[in-house]
């Protein structure tokens, strides 16, 4: 156990801070503190440009090994980067799905060809990715995906047919990783494949789904003979579930660091408003602010502990508790934010339906307990997989 | 001791409830969102024909002369339907204040005439209170009852300036009301004015509480229905204990909030000097039942509940607004603990339901 930063680490911190001070300014000034959860729709073009700027400075994919274009940063340095990024008001990252999910998955499971083909685009802040897991009948029961992938011997490529839904940022992405059934006779976790699909082709149709926030961050994605070359399946046909789950493991890893810094800045906002509008004089609000602070610290220590092991994305017990913990914490923070605002919480900033940052937070945190595995499913996982309790009976399909 | 409603009260609730169920479709609510006024004229007429406007207006002014116990189930029905029109506030809050003014002998002629117009459905009167910065549908009213310090003013539309503000609930049309108090518009002042404003706050909070109960029940019903049809893992999601428990927790809160709201309605009429804590309890209990129901109903709907298309958010957003209107949970809990912790708090069993509960005015009320 060693819970301090070294002298080199502190030097690294200075380097990050300096770079951000010199670059997150000018044209990029307006995007500071923007584009976080619930605010993904804002400044999209500017934030895409920012991704490229980060890449030029060598600040994308900093945790990837150097041989893949990363910076090979230690966990400590990644922590520091995320801290400084948040402090500087770095905008919500557009490239995070590629950088924190696709990249590590390809590094662990991809072929040399796949790494060569996809990692540089992610690293350059150029290629954005989306996640094609959920379908109308495959939500919590992800293994129930019905999208079919058939290998076409004539053209030597895969043909995809089916529908994905709730696909976040599909309309902004070049690529989608898709879980699809390679064995049409199979059911459940067997017979699946994990595909890397180019979104810019006639076989792919994207339709935005308006959310209760008035914006459309997620989409329906239809595949009608969408093509995917023979080399763009990760793992063998039938092995898709394992890859898909490993990717979810990375979701609970380093990518949580940036998230916590964002949480911190939300909490700071709420504390500031509470002081300004007098809500901080209310004893019940004071207690809840303290609870929020405590919860965030617990989360932080736990994820540092969690990351002290496991390179392949496999879920450890500590990792399993994390989604449930942060989602519930964040949901409570959203409620606290509205209670701090009091009656003003009802007012939109603008017509037709422009939410302020804290209102977006409140609504978005209602989804936190749903996407990436609902709270109920997380509890089942903890009980059945971490504690080994008897499995809940399934229905007859 | 009798918490039951009369057959007449239940029949009234049923007829208003079924009218709302038939007429206030979610499609018609969404139509209002894009309409200019945000109101539906036919609905206003139907509510008026059913006596909603005149319910609390004294018989001497052509009203039905009923009380809040009669109204509480109707407000619940309006919440269930997520009715956008502000009939509950108009009838209970503005109507209640006008009736109070009449009873206190202030500006009798003018008030009597207005009450008559309200009962007939010819005149619409609204009411704002210092606790709510903005007033729903104020721009649609002919007169507004407004507060200035302790004073109460009755101001015609021509002397009001409205600035529209957007609510998270697209059904609500909030207005900032600018006006200049004058002697001409003042209808109550000093102690009398302060007392009227306090009663107004209590009626407003009670009206919100009763609607929140209705909203909560409607949200739970939608989630229960959804849980029976949506299948995952080869079975209806409602077969999972975790999903059942989400709904059961709401049902417990809702059922336990009901008698609290009913009791508050009764207390406002029978022992108004002790209404503060009863109303605060009601608003807190109904508000937290509605907030939990909004949260859990959304959870049960999964990603579907996060879409604009799914009707659930109509109720979710109304609950969000009403839970904060007329005093949020913090405000009302503070009123409760102030009352509870005062040196001479009247806390014995004789003050729970006993005779002294009605006779005594406690010091918190002074
Ligand atoms: C904002 C947002 C963004 C999203 N982005 C993406 C994305 O980019 N890519 C993607 O693939 N997906 C995405 N999703 C989809 C998300 O992964 C699913 O919503 C989630 O897996 C739940 O599935 P569902 O919505 O179908 O709900 P359902 O599975 O239908 O669940 C409904 C309810 O039933 C409960 N339930 C279901 N089964 C059980 C059980 N066995 N035991 C106990 N309770 C159960 C659930 O907990 C929930 O409360 C997103 C969702 C949201 C809300």
């Amino acid at each position: 156990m060693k819970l301090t930063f070294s002298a080199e680490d502190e030097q690294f911190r200075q380097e990050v801070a300096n770079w951000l001070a010199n670059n997150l300014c000018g044209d990029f000034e307006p995007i500071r503190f923007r584009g976080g959860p619930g605010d993904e729709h804002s400044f999209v073009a500017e934030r895409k440009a920012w991704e490229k700027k980060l890449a030029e400075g060598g600040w994308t994919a900093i945790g990837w090994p150097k041989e893949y274009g990363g910076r090979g940063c230690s966990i400590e340095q990644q922590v520091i980067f995320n801290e400084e990024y948040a402090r500087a008001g770095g905008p919500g990252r557009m490239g995070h799905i590629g950088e924190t999910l696709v990249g590590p998955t390809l590094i662990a499971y991809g072929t040399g060809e796949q790494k060569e083909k996809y990692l540089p685009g992610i690293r350059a802040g150029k290629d954005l990715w989306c996640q094609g897991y959920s379908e109308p009948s495959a939500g919590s029961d992800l293994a129930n995906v019905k999208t079919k992938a058939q290998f076409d011997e004539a053209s030597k490529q895969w043909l995809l047919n089916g529908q994905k839904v709730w696909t976040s940022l599909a309309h902004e992405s070049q690529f989608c990783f898709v879980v699809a059934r390679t064995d049409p006779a199979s059911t459940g976790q067997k017979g699946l494949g994990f595909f890397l699909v180019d979104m810019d082709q006639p076989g792919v149709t994207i339709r935005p789904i308006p959310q209760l926030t008035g914006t459309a961050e997620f989409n329906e994605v239809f595949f009608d003979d969408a093509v995917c070359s023979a080399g763009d399946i990760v793992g063998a046909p039938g092995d898709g579930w394992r890859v898909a789950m490993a990717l979810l493991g990375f979701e609970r890893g380093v990518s949580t660091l940036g998230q916590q810094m964002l949480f911190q800045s939300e909490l700071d906002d709420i504390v500031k408003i509470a002081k300004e509008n007098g809500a901080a004089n209310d004893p019940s609000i004071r207690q809840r602010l303290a609870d929020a602070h405590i919860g965030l610290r617990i989360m932080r220590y736990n994820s540092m502990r969690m990351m002290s092991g496991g390179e392949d994305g496999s879920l450890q017990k500590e990792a399993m508790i994390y989604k449930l913990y942060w989602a519930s914490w964040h949901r409570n923070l959203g409620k606290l934010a509205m209670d701090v605002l009091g009656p003003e919480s009802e007012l939109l900033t603008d017509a037709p339906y422009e939410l302020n940052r804290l209102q977006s937070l409140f609504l978005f945190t209602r989804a936190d307990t749903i996407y990436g595995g609902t709270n109920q499913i997380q509890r089942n996982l903890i009980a059945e997989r971490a504690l080994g309790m008897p499995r809940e009976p399934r229905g007859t399909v | 001791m009798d918490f039951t409603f009369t057959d007449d009260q239940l029949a009234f609730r049923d007829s208003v409830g079924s009218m709302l169920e038939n007429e206030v479709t979610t499609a018609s609510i969404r139509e209002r969102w894009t309409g200019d006024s945000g109101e539906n004229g036919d609905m206003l007429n139907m509510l008026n024909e059913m006596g909603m406007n005149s319910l609390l207006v004294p018989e001497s002014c052509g009203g039905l002369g009923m009380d809040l116990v009669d109204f509480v189930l109707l407000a619940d029905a309006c919440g269930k339907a997520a009715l956008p029109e502000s009939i509950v506030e108009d009838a209970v809050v503005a109507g209640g204040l006008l009736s109070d003014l009449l009873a206190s002998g202030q500006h009798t002629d003018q008030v009597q005439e207005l009450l008559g117009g309200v009962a007939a459905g010819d005149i619409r009167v609204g009411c704002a209170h210092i606790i709510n910065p903005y007033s729903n549908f104020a721009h649609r009213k002919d007169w507004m009852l407004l507060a200035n310090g302790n004073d109460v003013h009755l101001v015609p539309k021509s002397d009001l300036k409205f600035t529209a503000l957007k609510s998270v609930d697209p059904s609500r049309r909030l207005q900032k009301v600018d006006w200049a108090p004058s002697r001409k518009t003042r209808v109550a002042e000093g102690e009398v004015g302060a007392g009227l404003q306090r009663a107004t706050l209590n009626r407003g909070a009670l009206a919100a509480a009763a609607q929140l109960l209705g909203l909560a029940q409607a949200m739970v019903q939608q989630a229960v229905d959804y849980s029976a049809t949506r299948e995952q893992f080869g079975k209806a999601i409602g077969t999972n204990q975790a999903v059942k428990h989400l709904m059961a927790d709401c049902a417990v809160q809702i059922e336990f909030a009901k008698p609290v709201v009913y009791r508050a309605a009764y207390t406002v009429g029978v022992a108004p000097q002790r209404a503060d804590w009863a109303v605060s309890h009601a608003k807190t209990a109904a508000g937290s039942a509605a907030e939990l129901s909004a949260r859990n109903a959304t959870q049960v709907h999964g990603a579907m509940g996060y879409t604009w298309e799914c009707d659930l958010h109509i109720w979710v957003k109304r609950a969000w607004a009403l839970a904060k209107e007329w005093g949020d949970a913090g405000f009302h809990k503070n009123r409760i603990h102030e009352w509870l912790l005062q040196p001479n708090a009247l806390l014995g069993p004789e003050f729970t339901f006993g005779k002294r509960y009605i006779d005594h005015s406690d010091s918190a009320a002074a």
Side-chain angles (χ1 to χ4, degrees):
Chain A
M1 195 171 299
K2 170 180 149 290
L3 302 178
T4 54
F5 292 116
S6 68
E8 297 95 85
D9 287 342
E10 291 303 343
Q11 202 183 330
F12 176 80
R13 180 187 296 282
Q14 202 51 53
E15 191 189 339
V16 175
N18 289 345
W19 188 87
L20 286 168
N22 294 329
N23 289 278
L24 186 53
C25 54
D27 288 351
F28 293 116
E29 186 61 38
I31 64 171
R32 291 182 63 217
F33 296 104
R34 298 305 303 266
D39 191 32
E40 297 89 348
H41 55 288
S42 71
F43 296 103
V44 168
E46 292 84 345
R47 281 162 55 221
K48 281 185 177 169
W50 172 245
E51 290 291 323
K52 296 196 178 114
K53 186 91 187 165
L54 277 174
E56 282 163 23
W59 298 111
T60 51
I62 59 169
W64 295 6
K66 287 202 172 114
E67 57 175 312
Y68 301 120
R71 221 181 169 101
C73 285
S74 64
I75 295 283
E76 285 82 358
Q77 289 176 331
Q78 295 180 58
V79 170
I80 289 170
F81 177 80
N82 280 293
E83 286 176 348
E84 292 307 316
Y85 189 82
R87 193 207 306 271
R93 292 287 311 275
M94 304 263 334
H96 69 285
I97 296 183
E99 180 174 317
T100 60
L101 302 181
V102 181
T105 305
L106 290 184
I107 289 169
Y109 298 94
T111 62
E113 191 196 329
Q114 287 165 350
K115 289 176 192 159
E116 234 167 78
K117 184 168 170 191
Y118 294 110
L119 295 182
I122 296 173
R123 157 70 183 72
K126 198 165 64 61
D127 292 342
L128 306 183
W129 285 74
C130 60
Q131 175 171 25
Y133 279 18
S134 305
E135 297 183 5
S137 59
S140 296
D141 187 8
L142 178 58
N144 196 35
V145 297
K146 301 229 185 326
T147 295
K148 289 197 170 41
Q150 199 184 10
F151 193 71
D152 180 41
E153 291 296 344
S155 62
K156 296 281 179 237
Q157 55 189 4
W158 293 92
L159 295 180
L160 268 61
N161 283 285
Q163 185 200 341
K164 294 293 170 181
V165 70
W166 322 124
T167 320
S168 295
L169 297 176
H171 56 300
E172 301 290 352
S173 301
Q174 280 75 39
F175 298 102
C176 183
F177 52 94
V178 175
V179 177
R181 209 158 278 291
T182 47
D183 174 2
S186 69
T187 57
Q189 304 174 2
K190 296 199 185 81
L192 296 169
F194 188 99
F195 295 91
L196 309 172
V197 179
D198 191 339
M199 297 294 269
D200 185 16
Q201 57 165 308
V204 174
T205 309
I206 302 168
R207 261 192 237 140
I209 308 174
Q211 300 178 329
L212 48 61
T213 52
T215 55
E217 174 262 356
F218 55 35
N219 303 269
E220 290 178 291
V221 177
F222 299 90
F223 302 111
D224 298 292
D225 279 340
V227 297
C228 179
S229 68
D232 282 331
I233 176 168
V234 183
D239 208 18
W241 183 258
R242 193 170 62 94
V243 181
M245 289 302 108
L247 180 136
L248 290 182
F250 292 118
E251 194 168 23
R252 291 167 184 78
V254 188
S255 61
T256 59
L257 294 174
Q259 185 194 39
Q260 287 168 12
M261 296 316 301
L262 188 81
F263 289 172
Q264 184 67 56
S265 103
E266 289 165 351
L267 178 56
D268 292 348
D269 257 14
I270 295 168
V271 170
K272 181 161 164 277
I273 291 171
K275 284 189 196 158
E276 280 165 10
N277 76 0
N281 298 327
D282 186 321
S284 71
I285 296 281
R286 296 174 77 86
Q287 304 255 339
R288 287 164 66 196
L289 289 171
D291 286 340
H293 172 81
I294 290 169
L296 184 52
R297 288 279 130 190
I298 291 176
M299 229 185 290
R300 197 145 168 68
Y301 301 152
N302 200 62
S303 57
M304 306 285 238
R305 179 173 65 128
M306 221 157 73
M307 279 178 290
S308 318
E311 294 279 288
D312 59 354
S314 64
L315 284 181
Q316 298 147 350
K317 279 188 195 172
E318 298 90 331
M320 276 185 195
I321 62 176
Y322 188 64
K323 167 78 207 307
L324 176 67
Y325 193 91
W326 78 252
S328 308
W329 179 90
H330 206 212
R331 178 194 62 202
N332 293 346
L333 187 77
K335 172 83 165 68
L336 175 58
M338 292 305 94
D339 292 347
V340 162
L341 285 180
E344 297 281 335
S345 79
E346 188 193 344
L347 291 185
L348 298 180
T349 45
D350 212 348
Y353 204 79
E354 190 71 35
L355 301 165
N356 66 35
R357 184 182 185 204
L358 294 185
Q359 288 164 340
S360 298
L361 169 73
F362 173 67
L363 284 179
F364 195 78
T365 58
R366 298 302 158 122
D368 282 337
T369 56
I370 294 169
Y371 67 79
T374 69
N375 273 14
Q376 289 67 44
I377 295 298
Q378 296 301 332
R379 285 195 175 88
N380 284 352
L381 283 175
I382 294 168
E384 294 177 3
R385 291 226 238 133
L387 301 177
M389 292 176 77
R391 290 216 146 184
E392 206 166 81
R394 295 182 160 234
T396 43
V397 189
Chain B
M1 172 82 37
D2 183 2
F3 262 103
T4 56
F5 290 90
T6 65
D7 288 344
D8 284 348
Q9 286 164 336
L10 294 174
F12 201 172
R13 188 266 319 265
D14 288 345
S15 62
V16 170
S18 67
M19 184 279 280
L20 293 173
E21 204 177 314
N22 292 330
E23 304 294 332
V24 190
T25 59
T26 54
S28 81
I29 291 176
R30 288 170 188 268
E31 260 168 44
R32 288 171 175 82
W33 291 356
T34 53
D36 265 352
S37 73
E39 291 186 319
N40 177 317
D42 292 342
M43 177 51 56
L44 290 172
N45 289 337
M46 277 184 273
L47 291 167
N48 188 43
E49 272 161 29
M50 298 198 85
M52 294 284 277
N53 289 330
S54 54
L55 204 99
L56 298 182
V57 175
E59 282 169 306
S60 63
C61 302
L64 297 174
M66 293 182 167
D67 61 24
L68 286 168
V69 175
D70 298 308
F71 206 93
V72 76
L73 292 180
L74 303 178
D76 176 309
C78 293
K80 248 183 213 124
L83 177 72
E85 282 75 21
S86 60
I87 184 71
V88 177
E89 286 78 6
D90 298 353
V92 173
V93 188
L97 180 50
L98 281 174
S99 303
D100 276 3
L101 278 167
L102 188 70
S104 67
Q106 315 271 336
H107 299 259
T108 324
D109 291 346
Q110 189 189 8
V111 170
Q112 200 152 20
E113 198 187 314
L114 277 186
L115 277 167
V118 167
D122 300 333
I123 299 178
R124 301 179 67 191
V125 183
C127 179
H129 190 277
I130 201 84
I131 199 158
N132 295 325
Y134 313 107
S135 182
N136 194 18
F137 287 112
H139 64 305
R140 305 283 295 163
K141 305 291 153 60
D142 304 302
W143 294 82
M144 284 294 290
L145 287 154
L146 298 162
N148 180 43
N150 281 342
D151 300 349
V152 178
H153 291 256
L154 180 58
V155 189
K157 184 175 192 159
S158 53
D159 291 350
L160 300 171
K161 196 174 149 285
F162 301 107
T163 314
L165 293 157
K166 287 269 171 187
S167 165
V168 289
D169 173 6
S171 294
R172 283 161 63 82
R173 296 294 171 103
L174 297 179
Q175 305 290 326
K176 181 166 165 291
V177 184
D178 287 307
W179 60 291
S182 75
R183 288 182 66 149
K184 208 173 82 213
T185 56
R186 188 171 60 207
V187 288
E189 58 192 305
E191 290 284 297
V192 178
L196 291 173
Q197 287 189 37
R198 199 169 120 183
T200 296
L201 167 58
N202 283 336
R203 277 190 291 257
L206 177 69
Q211 290 177 86
L212 283 161
L213 275 184
L215 290 165
Q217 292 167 84
M219 290 186 281
V220 169
Q221 191 57 53
Q222 286 162 53
V224 165
D225 292 347
Y226 185 76
S227 79
T229 52
R230 167 71 176 166
E231 287 186 6
Q232 283 289 274
F233 302 102
K235 57 185 185 180
I237 56 168
T239 55
N240 295 300
Q241 196 176 48
V243 174
K244 291 191 218 297
H245 287 187
L246 284 176
M247 295 290 93
D249 287 346
C250 299
V252 170
Q253 283 212 12
I254 292 168
E255 286 310 313
F256 281 153
K258 280 180 182 174
V260 181
V261 174
Y262 302 159
R263 190 245 166 93
Y266 181 83
T267 306
V268 167
V270 175
Q273 75 280 8
R274 292 178 59 83
D276 285 13
W277 61 268
V279 167
S280 284
H281 184 185
K283 181 78 198 311
T284 315
S288 86
E291 284 178 336
L292 184 73
S293 302
R295 180 178 126 181
N296 288 2
T298 306
Q299 184 70 18
V300 168
H301 278 77
M304 194 60 87
Y306 200 66
T307 63
W308 190 270
E309 187 190 338
C310 178
D311 287 328
L312 180 66
H313 76 113
I314 296 174
W315 282 263
V316 166
K317 288 170 177 172
R318 185 73 51 82
W320 177 354
L322 289 190
K324 301 264 187 287
E325 211 189 20
W326 297 104
D328 59 12
F331 172 87
H332 286 290
K333 276 192 190 156
N334 281 337
R335 281 212 319 185
I336 294 173
H337 74 63
E338 272 161 25
W339 167 80
L340 192 65
L341 298 176
Q342 63 181 312
N344 305 318
L346 307 175
L347 293 177
E350 67 274 34
F351 294 106
T352 308
F353 290 110
K355 185 167 152 33
R356 299 188 66 190
Y357 139 70
I358 291 175
D359 293 345
H360 245 274
S361 60
D362 65 30
S363 49

